[in-house]
Amino acid sequence: MADTSVLRDGLHFGEGPRRGPDGRLYYSDFYAGEVHALDLATGDDEVVVAFDGQPSGLGWLPDGSLLVVSMLDRTVRKLVGDELVVHADISDIATFHANDMLVDGEGRAYVGNFGFDLHGLIDEVGIPGLLEPGFDPLGAKLALVQPDGTAGVVAEDLKFPNGMALLPDPTGESESGNILVVAETVAFHLTSFSVDRNGSLQNRRVWADVKEAGIAPDGIAGDGDGVWVAPALQPAAFRVTEGGKITRKVETTQPCFAVAVVGDTLVCLTAPDSHPSVVKPERLGRIETYRL
């Protein structure tokens, strides 16, 4: 029995949930090519923008402009009126599909990418192959897009950099007072960096190893001194603190791929699988909620 309640179904594959400036939950539906805004109180759902592409990570510039990762052409788009225009081209940084994104309060966007054809590899070796001790996939670069759209590399050789969260630095040593936690999905751990005032990253370290718990960390969301983690391979969401301690588990109706914390509500985006052959032709994705 799941702990969550299903608020919305009929998605292909949901990604990038974020609380918007207006308090609604914004999310992407990959294969519908749509970005939605959902009122968690009423369940009212609006298509904010649709385009001939595949949206993923979301965020906002300080002026309120919505940023959207366009996966297939590896760009970050900005919503201007009813049109998504190119804000930054990261195709020379991302070596496969662009993916999740975190935009900080200054409008700087950290953008991950697959690094390699994950689903092609799964077709070849299966999920068990990803768990083999000698498995060492190609690394990917993490892009930093400045508010004016210029882009550069802030970290390299990340194993499928996925969800990200900013947490207070418990050591007080980082210039900004924050650390950036990045989910390295196929390394089965969370990595942290100290964040400088200009957004650059230092002091890379493993923040939490979650392989023994069977967690392939996908989307994450900050929650105090910890993060909620979507495990991708399990129908649940886990709250994890530094060192890998699991402090809470919330069971979902199907595997969870992305999470957000909106007020006192945990939001879980779930689907039966992440493989396009399963979720692209069907609408089996759900948005599930749990009152914390």
Side-chain angles (χ1 to χ4, degrees):
M1 180 73 77
D3 299 315
T4 55
S5 299
V6 177
L7 180 61
R8 192 194 187 297
D9 58 12
L11 281 63
H12 288 285
F13 189 82
E15 183 60 282
R18 290 279 188 268
R19 182 187 184 276
D22 58 7
R24 293 186 295 174
L25 177 81
Y26 284 69
Y27 68 93
S28 296
D29 190 350
F30 270 19
Y31 303 117
E34 297 171 347
V35 176
H36 291 241
L38 174 67
D39 188 317
L40 294 178
T42 66
D44 292 338
D45 189 288
E46 174 193 357
V47 177
V48 175
V49 66
F51 73 112
D52 185 19
Q54 194 167 300
S56 183
L58 305 174
W60 287 265
L61 293 172
D63 67 3
S65 299
L66 175 65
L67 297 182
V68 180
V69 170
S70 178
M71 297 180 68
L72 304 184
D73 64 359
R74 293 170 286 165
T75 63
V76 177
R77 306 285 188 96
K78 180 169 70 172
L79 184 61
V80 179
D82 296 327
E83 185 180 359
L84 286 172
V85 302
V86 174
H87 175 63
D89 185 340
I90 61 168
S91 60
D92 60 339
I93 297 172
T95 47
F96 207 72
H97 298 338
N99 194 23
D100 218 331
M101 175 173 66
L102 182 144
V103 182
D104 69 13
E106 302 298 319
R108 294 182 292 245
Y110 298 91
V111 189
N113 74 94
F114 285 28
F116 63 96
D117 183 359
L118 173 66
H119 297 115
L121 183 65
I122 291 174
D123 288 340
E124 182 181 339
V125 304
I127 296 293
L130 305 184
L131 298 168
E132 289 291 331
F135 175 64
D136 186 25
L138 292 172
K141 298 173 182 176
L142 185 67
L144 175 59
V145 177
Q146 300 293 341
D148 64 0
T150 57
V153 176
V154 286
E156 300 195 43
D157 197 30
L158 294 165
K159 307 301 184 181
F160 205 102
N162 214 325
M164 289 167 277
L166 281 171
L167 300 184
D169 182 0
T171 69
E173 295 176 356
S174 66
E175 290 183 358
S176 68
N178 293 318
I179 61 171
L180 178 72
V181 178
V182 182
E184 291 191 71
T185 303
V186 296
F188 298 89
H189 63 230
L190 302 164
T191 297
S192 69
F193 300 86
S194 300
V195 183
D196 291 344
R197 288 190 182 89
N198 63 2
S200 61
L201 305 179
Q202 310 291 337
N203 304 322
R204 177 177 178 168
R205 56 203 178 275
V206 174
W207 191 80
D209 189 325
V210 290
K211 188 172 185 177
E212 285 192 6
I215 296 172
D218 194 327
I220 67 173
D223 180 28
D225 64 346
V227 294
W228 282 96
V229 180
L233 304 177
Q234 301 180 55
F238 296 87
R239 188 180 183 277
V240 179
T241 56
E242 186 172 6
K245 182 179 179 180
I246 294 173
T247 63
R248 201 162 181 184
K249 177 182 179 181
V250 173
E251 295 189 4
T252 54
T253 67
Q254 53 186 354
C256 179
F257 294 93
V259 289
V261 177
V262 180
D264 63 354
T265 301
L266 174 68
V267 180
C268 302
L269 273 57
T270 71
D273 204 302
S274 66
H275 201 292
S277 65
V278 176
V279 294
K280 189 173 183 177
E282 304 289 344
R283 286 185 172 270
L284 304 173
R286 296 172 181 160
I287 298 176
E288 308 182 30
T289 60
Y290 177 79
R291 185 65 59 85
L292 296 172

